[in-house]
Amino acid sequence: MRITKHEHAALRIEAHGATLIIDPGSFTTVLGELHALAAIVITHEHADHWTPEQLERIFVAAPDVPIFTTAAVAAAIQDHDVTVVSPGDELAAGPFSLRFFGGAHEQIHSSIPVVDNVGVLVDDLLYYPGDSYALPEGVVVDTLAIPTGGPWLHLGAAMDFVLAVQPRRAFGTHDMTLSVAGRTMHFSRLKWATEQHGGEFHPLDPGDSLEV
């Protein structure tokens, strides 16, 4: 499996001769090379994780690509193949296997409604929790995409999440709201947390890839 980090929360997973895209949102530049696109996963409804404009661009290259997401996102996407997923669901997306966890976005503030959010485990290798600290119960996580910054994120809680998951390897995502200095600091703390159980942290920049 080849995992490519794009800006903010967008990930490209390539395996089995196919591609899976996760969370192509408003902070992500236009994605190319989508001729082998098997599916799109959108973890929740916030614009930094998906926009109609991003999907329309993708549909030009892959008009029939299926989407797996929450009910709120599905209701906003018209005339397309959308499957609503919930925690506990296990299904195939082309050649990829997907398992979903969690259920709720981390609270930003008591004045802001909490929305549905699903974490996704791809091929039993890559776990991405979306905007949550949802643990993938019963899973030994090979590779963790760990949210690094955002209005809901507390760095200490993110470190505790990494310590609880104990991944073999991890890299930061959800980081476009951070300054360069803030991103470097957060990465250093998440690196420490990853290494406490023998894992390796990879400080990926947009466009960088990881082979797992």
Side-chain angles (χ1 to χ4, degrees):
M1 177 186 289
R2 180 181 178 89
I3 304 164
T4 301
K5 170 186 166 58
H6 293 277
E7 294 89 355
H8 201 54
L11 303 174
R12 179 194 302 262
I13 296 94
E14 297 169 284
H16 323 291
T19 299
L20 176 74
I21 296 293
I22 300 176
D23 283 358
S26 58
F27 297 151
T28 305
T29 56
V30 177
L31 300 173
E33 300 181 15
L34 299 172
H35 55 279
L37 188 59
I40 301 169
V41 173
I42 300 171
T43 59
H44 64 282
E45 64 197 76
H46 291 158
D48 58 326
H49 292 256
W50 85 284
T51 67
E53 293 78 14
Q54 284 281 25
L55 291 188
E56 288 302 322
R57 296 186 191 105
I58 293 171
F59 294 158
V60 171
D64 299 320
V65 61
I67 298 171
F68 300 89
T69 188
T70 63
V73 179
I77 300 173
Q78 302 297 319
D79 302 320
H80 206 78
D81 179 10
V82 183
T83 299
V84 174
V85 293
S86 301
D89 288 350
E90 300 183 25
L91 47 84
F96 295 95
S97 67
L98 305 178
R99 296 172 62 187
F100 294 93
F101 298 86
H105 192 290
E106 292 297 319
Q107 186 179 68
I108 300 170
H109 186 263
S110 59
S111 67
I112 300 173
V114 174
V115 302
D116 290 340
N117 175 93
V118 287
V120 61
L121 177 69
V122 182
D123 284 355
D124 292 325
L125 282 175
L126 169 67
Y127 181 59
Y128 171 53
D131 283 10
S132 81
Y133 301 126
L135 293 172
E137 298 293 346
V139 175
V140 176
V141 174
D142 181 273
T143 304
L144 175 66
I146 174 67
T148 304
W152 58 273
L153 191 144
H154 179 275
L155 180 57
M159 293 169 68
D160 284 341
F161 178 69
V162 175
L163 290 169
V165 174
Q166 302 181 27
R168 288 183 55 202
R169 58 178 70 84
F171 64 93
T173 185
H174 204 282
D175 54 5
M176 287 292 285
T177 59
L178 295 174
S179 67
V180 173
R183 183 174 181 267
T184 300
M185 180 183 68
H186 285 215
F187 275 6
S188 70
R189 298 300 184 185
L190 296 173
K191 178 177 184 290
W192 175 88
T194 304
E195 292 174 345
Q196 297 314 295
H197 294 99
E200 181 179 5
F201 185 83
H202 299 264
L204 301 184
D205 290 320
D208 288 349
S209 297
L210 184 64
E211 302 279 351
V212 303

